[in-house]
Amino acid sequence: MILKVGNLDLTPFTAYGGIKWQRSDVDGKNAGRMLDGTMQRDRVAIKIRFDVTCRPLTAAEQAKILSAIEPEFVTLTYTDPVTNSTKSGQFYSNNFPSTFAMVRNGTEYWSGLTFPLIQK
């Protein structure tokens, strides 16, 4: 599995089962249920989304990830599960919560960092 924002490999920071892939269809104005009950499709695009959940992180690790996903758009390189090939594209992220967990042996830890990576 490849999941990189720029040169930052996200996979070492993810929790077990922490990468969720999703394909979403974007339908046009002519899509919807007809009076006879049939479905009319008007797909104008297919977009990919990853939801990433991180393992507990040190403050330094979290800062590295948050800095990488902060720009308006980022280049994401990923394994496409449909073709089992490597692809790249422009993605964005928003709404990424995290919780301060503890300080242990002088190191600050955060938990629960989750964020989406949504295709432009």
Side-chain angles (χ1 to χ4, degrees):
M1 175 66 189
I2 298 169
L3 193 66
K4 288 183 175 181
V5 173
N7 291 322
L8 180 63
D9 182 0
L10 295 176
T11 58
F13 304 110
T14 59
Y16 178 80
I19 299 174
K20 177 183 173 187
W21 174 87
Q22 179 177 323
R23 181 195 115 163
S24 297
D25 290 348
V26 179
D27 286 327
K29 65 180 182 175
N30 295 320
R33 197 65 65 191
M34 300 293 110
L35 290 176
D36 66 357
T38 61
M39 180 62 156
Q40 174 71 35
R41 292 297 308 271
D42 182 20
R43 183 169 56 200
V44 295
I46 295 172
K47 297 299 178 180
I48 302 302
R49 174 183 174 133
F50 288 92
D51 289 302
V52 180
T53 301
C54 293
R55 62 169 171 74
L57 302 167
T58 66
E61 289 172 329
Q62 179 166 268
K64 190 182 294 188
I65 295 166
L66 293 178
S67 294
I69 64 175
E70 183 178 25
E72 188 172 10
F73 293 101
V74 299
T75 299
L76 183 69
T77 304
Y78 59 96
T79 301
D80 180 351
V82 175
T83 61
N84 194 33
S85 65
T86 302
K87 293 188 176 180
S88 291
Q90 293 293 295
F91 285 69
Y92 67 94
S93 188
N94 59 11
N95 304 325
F96 27 91
S98 184
T99 302
F100 174 72
M102 71 175 112
V103 174
R104 178 174 284 162
N105 298 326
T107 302
E108 191 175 294
Y109 287 90
W110 290 76
S111 67
L113 176 60
T114 60
F115 55 91
L117 293 164
I118 306 163
Q119 192 174 24
K120 181 176 179 181

